[in-house]
Amino acid sequence: QAQLVESGGDSVQAGGSLTLSCKASRFTARYCMAWFRQAPGKEREAVATLDSDSKTTYSDSVKGRFTISRVTAESTLYLQMNNLKPDDTAMYYCATRFSYDCSQEADQYNNWGQGAQVTVSS
């Protein structure tokens, strides 16, 4: 099973930007890849997904501020986050679903990274 390693987490002030990276030991654009986040005391939620046809989805809370992308040659999935808000504070995880299509449900994903902490202060 491919290993997923996130990086780029940091502490920033509201209004700032961060880019998260997820490096895969084995990467294929045939599968769905996604970013989830989990804040303390809350369930893990889908933030952005990218399917094998490069179709993207975003949660309403991040739409217009976050962008998911992948560079197959680099075996890397990215999450560009702009205009960050304190409510974006969470552990962010990248995940792979062994399917062409994506899901918004965390239990539909087969492979997870260890997470990257994002903290946004007001």
Side-chain angles (χ1 to χ4, degrees), residues 1-74:
Q1 202 170 36
Q3 283 190 323
L4 303 175
V5 180
E6 297 98 335
S7 62
D10 206 346
S11 297
V12 296
Q13 289 194 325
S17 298
L18 282 175
T19 299
L20 300 182
S21 302
C22 173
K23 180 81 170 181
S25 59
R26 285 185 295 161
F27 193 90
T28 174
R30 294 186 301 164
Y31 293 146
C32 163
M33 295 196 77
W35 287 97
F36 283 75
R37 68 185 181 187
Q38 188 166 20
K42 294 188 176 181
E43 292 189 357
R44 193 169 295 192
E45 63 170 349
V47 173
T49 68
L50 177 63
D51 71 11
S52 59
D53 289 329
S54 297
K55 184 174 66 178
T56 59
T57 67
Y58 296 94
S59 66
D60 288 343
S61 61
V62 307
K63 201 171 294 182
R65 299 187 297 121
F66 289 13
T67 303
I68 187 172
S69 63
R70 64 177 162 231
V71 179
T72 303
E74 297 175 358

Side-chain angles (χ1 to χ4, degrees), residues 62-121:
V62 307
K63 201 171 294 182
R65 299 187 297 121
F66 289 13
T67 303
I68 187 172
S69 63
R70 64 177 162 231
V71 179
T72 303
E74 297 175 358
S75 300
T76 303
L77 179 75
Y78 295 97
L79 185 68
Q80 173 68 43
M81 305 184 291
N82 297 325
N83 190 21
L84 282 160
K85 304 176 180 181
D87 284 348
D88 295 320
T89 295
M91 186 71 80
Y92 284 72
Y93 300 89
C94 69
T96 300
R97 183 177 192 233
F98 298 158
S99 171
Y100 298 131
D101 299 324
C102 291
S103 169
Q104 303 299 310
E105 303 300 322
D107 62 5
Q108 295 295 310
Y109 286 76
N110 308 96
N111 201 19
W112 292 85
Q114 84 288 350
Q117 178 66 41
V118 173
T119 303
V120 185
S121 58

